[in-house]
Coordinates of all heavy atoms in Angstrom, one line a residue:
L184 N -9.2 -159.5 -24.4 CA -8.1 -158.6 -24.0 C -8.6 -157.2 -24.0 O -9.2 -156.8 -25.0 CB -7.0 -158.8 -25.0 CG -5.6 -158.3 -24.5 CD1 -5.1 -159.1 -23.3 CD2 -4.6 -158.3 -25.6
V185 N -8.4 -156.5 -23.0 CA -8.9 -155.1 -22.8 C -7.8 -154.1 -22.5 O -6.9 -154.4 -21.9 CB -10.0 -155.2 -21.6 CG1 -10.4 -153.8 -21.2 CG2 -11.2 -156.0 -22.0
K186 N -8.0 -153.0 -23.1 CA -7.0 -151.9 -22.9 C -7.8 -150.8 -22.1 O -8.9 -150.4 -22.4 CB -6.6 -151.3 -24.2 CG -5.7 -150.0 -24.1 CD -5.2 -149.6 -25.5 CE -4.4 -148.4 -25.4 NZ -3.8 -148.0 -26.7
M187 N -7.2 -150.4 -20.9 CA -7.8 -149.4 -20.1 C -6.8 -148.2 -20.0 O -5.7 -148.4 -19.7 CB -8.1 -149.9 -18.7 CG -9.4 -150.7 -18.7 SD -9.4 -152.0 -17.5 CE -8.2 -153.2 -18.1
I188 N -7.4 -147.0 -20.2 CA -6.6 -145.8 -20.0 C -7.2 -145.0 -18.9 O -8.4 -144.8 -18.8 CB -6.6 -144.9 -21.3 CG1 -6.1 -145.8 -22.5 CG2 -5.7 -143.7 -21.1 CD1 -6.2 -145.0 -23.8
K189 N -6.3 -144.7 -17.9 CA -6.8 -144.0 -16.7 C -6.8 -142.5 -17.0 O -5.7 -141.9 -17.3 CB -5.9 -144.3 -15.5 CG -6.4 -143.7 -14.2 CD -5.6 -144.3 -13.1 CE -5.9 -143.7 -11.8 NZ -5.1 -144.3 -10.7
T190 N -8.0 -141.9 -17.0 CA -8.1 -140.4 -17.2 C -8.6 -139.7 -16.0 O -9.1 -140.3 -15.1 CB -9.0 -140.1 -18.5 OG1 -10.3 -140.4 -18.1 CG2 -8.6 -141.0 -19.7
E191 N -8.6 -138.4 -16.1 CA -9.2 -137.6 -15.0 C -10.7 -137.9 -14.8 O -11.2 -137.9 -13.7 CB -9.1 -136.1 -15.4 CG -7.7 -135.6 -15.7 CD -7.1 -135.0 -14.5 OE1 -7.6 -133.9 -14.0 OE2 -6.1 -135.6 -14.0
Q192 N -11.3 -138.3 -15.9 CA -12.8 -138.6 -15.9 C -13.1 -140.0 -15.5 O -14.3 -140.4 -15.4 CB -13.4 -138.3 -17.3 CG -13.5 -136.8 -17.7 CD -12.2 -136.3 -18.1 OE1 -11.4 -137.0 -18.8 NE2 -11.8 -135.1 -17.7
G193 N -12.1 -140.8 -15.4 CA -12.3 -142.2 -15.0 C -11.5 -143.1 -16.0 O -10.6 -142.7 -16.6
V194 N -11.9 -144.4 -16.0 CA -11.2 -145.4 -16.8 C -11.9 -145.6 -18.2 O -13.0 -145.9 -18.2 CB -11.0 -146.7 -16.1 CG1 -10.3 -147.7 -16.9 CG2 -10.3 -146.5 -14.7
K195 N -11.1 -145.3 -19.3 CA -11.7 -145.5 -20.6 C -11.3 -146.9 -21.0 O -10.1 -147.3 -21.0 CB -11.0 -144.5 -21.6 CG -12.0 -143.5 -22.1 CD -11.3 -142.5 -23.0 CE -10.3 -143.0 -24.0 NZ -9.5 -142.0 -24.7
R196 N -12.3 -147.7 -21.5 CA -12.0 -149.1 -21.8 C -12.2 -149.4 -23.3 O -13.2 -148.9 -23.9 CB -13.0 -150.0 -21.0 CG -12.9 -151.4 -21.4 CD -13.9 -152.3 -20.5 NE -14.1 -153.6 -21.2 CZ -14.4 -154.7 -20.6 NH1 -14.5 -154.7 -19.3 NH2 -14.6 -155.8 -21.3
E197 N -11.3 -150.1 -23.9 CA -11.4 -150.5 -25.3 C -11.1 -152.0 -25.4 O -10.2 -152.5 -24.8 CB -10.2 -149.7 -26.0 CG -10.3 -149.9 -27.5 CD -9.0 -149.3 -28.2 OE1 -8.4 -148.4 -27.6 OE2 -8.6 -149.8 -29.2
D198 N -12.1 -152.7 -26.0 CA -11.9 -154.2 -26.2 C -11.0 -154.4 -27.4 O -11.2 -153.9 -28.4 CB -13.3 -154.8 -26.4 CG -14.2 -154.7 -25.1 OD1 -13.6 -154.3 -24.0 OD2 -15.4 -154.9 -25.2

Side-chain angles (χ1 to χ4, degrees):
L184 195 67
V185 167
K186 174 176 179 174
M187 280 152 286
I188 305 176
K189 187 169 173 178
T190 70
E191 305 264 294
Q192 290 77 38
V194 178
K195 249 178 41 193
R196 171 177 163 153
E197 186 189 334
D198 294 346

